[in-house]
Amino acid sequence: MKLDSLTILGAGIIGLSVAREARLRGLPVRVLDSRSFGTSCTHAATGVLKAPEHRRSPYLDLRHQSWEEWPQLAEQLKEESGGIDCGFRICGGLDLRDRTVQDPHRAMEKLHGSGGNVRVLDQKELKRLLPEMHREPQAGIYIEHQAVVDPGGLMEAMRRSCLGMGVEIAHDLGEISLGIEEGHRVVRSSVETPLPPIDEKNPLVLSAGWETSALINPALEKPLPLKPVRGEAIALDIPAPPHIVTFDAKLADVDDPSGNRSRFSWIPGPGGSSWFGNSVGDTGEGKETLPAPTATGRARLIEAAISFFGPGVESRIVRHWAGLRPKSLRQGGPLMGPIDTARTLWIATGHYRTGLLIGPKTAEWLVDSLTGKSEIHDNFSVPEEFRI
Ligand SMILES: Cc1cc2nc3c(=O)[nH]c(=O)nc-3n(C[C@H](O)[C@H](O)[C@H](O)COP(=O)(O)OP(=O)(O)OC[C@H]3O[C@@H](n4cnc5c(N)ncnc54)[C@H](O)[C@@H]3O)c2cc1C
């Protein structure tokens, strides 16, 4: 069906990527956000993009495709936004995780699927590359296919690109909800704003990050399988590493059978800054719906940073921030596609820890499906039991 317009709730990386993609195909697009620009989870990201080790599942394949398309996307955004550099740079990574250090050659075998150069580095090379490191790992692995992007720069480039193409973007609209009036779905906002009709020719995309569930759950029998997972990071006044450094730090208060919570990254941030974050940051403080940084999160980051840089690193923290990542609770990646049989309401969320990497690619798929070009892979579509 030929659409007349598209309305999107949520102006994070997902909402803006969908807006850009739809506008590139000629659709009139409007994006509404309840908060101000700069407060989304996307702005709290640490900007790491990694090619996965293999592509043996639809989600890993999506990550691979996204990785391959990122260099071109960065170029296009620069052109469309009038010259804004989103900071995309293939900087490579150093894997210093415990298992890797114990048996680097075995670990390296698994990494060839990432597509680039992979090689073992000895202690001498590691010391030369990372003079600030207090540890003395015997070996590590260099992985070429890892990159950084500046999340703030990316969002500004996306925003300008959208505005330049005529997308209407409205921020600070306060509480936005969905309702039904005279049998039709409507968008309600506490700030007076001209709100669009929602019907088959003018569908609505919900890309409000983890808060997408608050928008849609009142209309569902079963709540959307989505939850917020906190991530926290700090900036240090330590010279930036030449590559993204990934290592393990066993934390005193964290039981970590999967090895996820003990994994930390030291990242070359924008403008030569040093960023430091962990892979999963739930603090268990009962503040899982507040995006503010926590004392527990800070203490864990400091503990890990001390294990890497040595004592005294606490005094070198220049910023501490947090964000709530939208985690899809069913296996296999984000939740995308129509949620009602009339195909008027669409979901685009659940990108969890890889929204910057895969967000633009999934936006392309969503718009393909909206415009009838192709359907979304079963792995990523909204399961039947959660549809209206
Ligand atoms: C510390 C940290 C580090 C991360 N590092 C990386 C990384 O290195 N690489 C990577 O790929 N990903 C990373 N991520 C994950 C990435 O940030 C997320 O996957 C991504 O930002 C999710 O984007 P989103 O657009 O779904 O949500 P958001 O960016 O949160 O955008 C949702 C928007 O919806 C708005 N909204 C909420 N409710 C409503 C409503 N009712 N109506 C209208 N608007 C509404 C919000 O104000 C917000 O602007 C990281 C996240 C964190 C927290």
Side-chain angles (χ1 to χ4, degrees), residues 9-15 32-35 39-42 44-49 176 207-209 211 215 231-233 323-326 349 351-357:
L9 298 187
I13 185 64
I14 308 305
L32 310 175
D33 199 294
S34 40
R35 302 202 189 80
T39 59
S40 68
C41 172
T42 309
T46 44
V48 172
L49 311 176
I176 297 179
S207 54
E211 290 164 289
L215 274 167
E232 302 199 26
L324 295 170
R325 300 172 281 206
T349 188
H351 295 67
Y352 191 30
R353 283 156 44 183
T354 56
L356 272 57
L357 175 66

Side-chain angles (χ1 to χ4, degrees), residues 35 41 80 120 177 187 213 264 277 315 358 371 379:
R35 302 202 189 80
C41 172
E80 293 163 16
V120 175
S177 59
V187 175
S213 34
F264 289 79
S315 64
I358 65 172
T371 53
N379 255 73

Side-chain angles (χ1 to χ4, degrees), residues 10 19 68 95 99 153 379:
E68 283 163 0
D95 182 347
R99 206 183 301 162
N379 255 73

Side-chain angles (χ1 to χ4, degrees), residues 16-274:
L16 289 188
S17 298
V18 173
R20 171 179 174 270
E21 193 61 44
R23 190 69 202 115
L24 282 171
R25 301 192 205 182
L27 266 179
V29 183
R30 186 189 285 115
V31 187
L32 310 175
D33 199 294
S34 40
R35 302 202 189 80
S36 51
F37 186 69
T39 59
S40 68
C41 172
T42 309
H43 282 90
T46 44
V48 172
L49 311 176
K50 293 185 181 181
E53 295 163 19
H54 56 82
R55 44 201 323 169
R56 288 195 292 266
S57 75
Y59 177 49
L60 289 163
D61 191 47
L62 161 63
R63 282 163 56 185
H64 235 295
Q65 285 188 50
S66 302
W67 165 265
E68 283 163 0
E69 291 179 13
W70 246 99
Q72 198 190 349
L73 174 69
E75 283 301 314
Q76 284 169 342
L77 283 176
K78 191 168 181 178
E79 208 178 300
E80 293 163 16
S81 65
I84 294 185
D85 182 359
C86 66
F88 173 78
R89 182 165 66 87
I90 298 181
C91 57
L94 293 177
D95 182 347
L96 304 180
R97 287 176 298 162
D98 295 346
R99 206 183 301 162
T100 305
V101 171
Q102 275 158 24
D103 193 346
H105 289 279
R106 184 148 181 251
M108 191 180 75
E109 285 309 310
K110 294 187 183 165
L111 282 163
H112 283 299
S114 68
N117 178 13
V118 182
R119 63 191 172 90
V120 175
L121 303 183
D122 63 17
Q123 194 178 43
K124 210 169 131 203
E125 278 178 287
L126 290 173
K127 274 195 164 167
R128 183 182 59 77
L129 287 169
L130 306 173
E132 305 280 346
M133 181 170 61
H134 156 91
R135 295 180 173 194
E136 299 205 334
Q138 294 303 306
I141 298 180
Y142 169 76
I143 306 155
E144 184 185 8
H145 278 185
Q146 297 192 4
V148 284
V149 62
D150 168 8
L154 168 63
M155 287 299 281
E156 187 55 20
M158 272 283 178
R159 192 179 73 91
R160 295 258 194 113
S161 157
C162 286
L163 290 172
M165 290 191 285
V167 173
E168 290 172 35
I169 305 179
H171 275 281
D172 286 308
L173 295 180
E175 199 183 323
I176 297 179
S177 59
L178 289 182
I180 296 188
E181 282 170 18
E182 294 168 11
H184 294 287
R185 281 192 195 282
V186 290
V187 175
R188 293 190 181 123
S189 161
S190 50
V191 173
E192 206 167 307
T193 179
L195 293 173
I198 305 165
D199 56 36
E200 285 167 39
K201 284 183 159 273
N202 301 279
L204 179 72
V205 175
L206 309 179
S207 54
W210 72 274
E211 290 164 289
T212 303
S213 34
L215 274 167
I216 195 66
N217 279 354
L220 299 180
E221 277 180 21
K222 242 178 136 178
L224 203 65
L226 184 74
K227 76 164 190 176
V229 175
R230 173 185 301 283
E232 302 199 26
I234 48 179
L236 299 165
D237 79 341
I238 289 175
H243 311 295
I244 298 160
V245 181
T246 306
F247 65 96
D248 291 327
K250 296 275 175 284
L251 303 182
D253 71 327
V254 180
D255 181 27
D256 182 26
S258 67
N260 260 340
R261 283 184 175 75
S262 65
R263 193 180 310 155
F264 289 79
S265 294
W266 177 26
I267 300 151
S273 57
S274 259

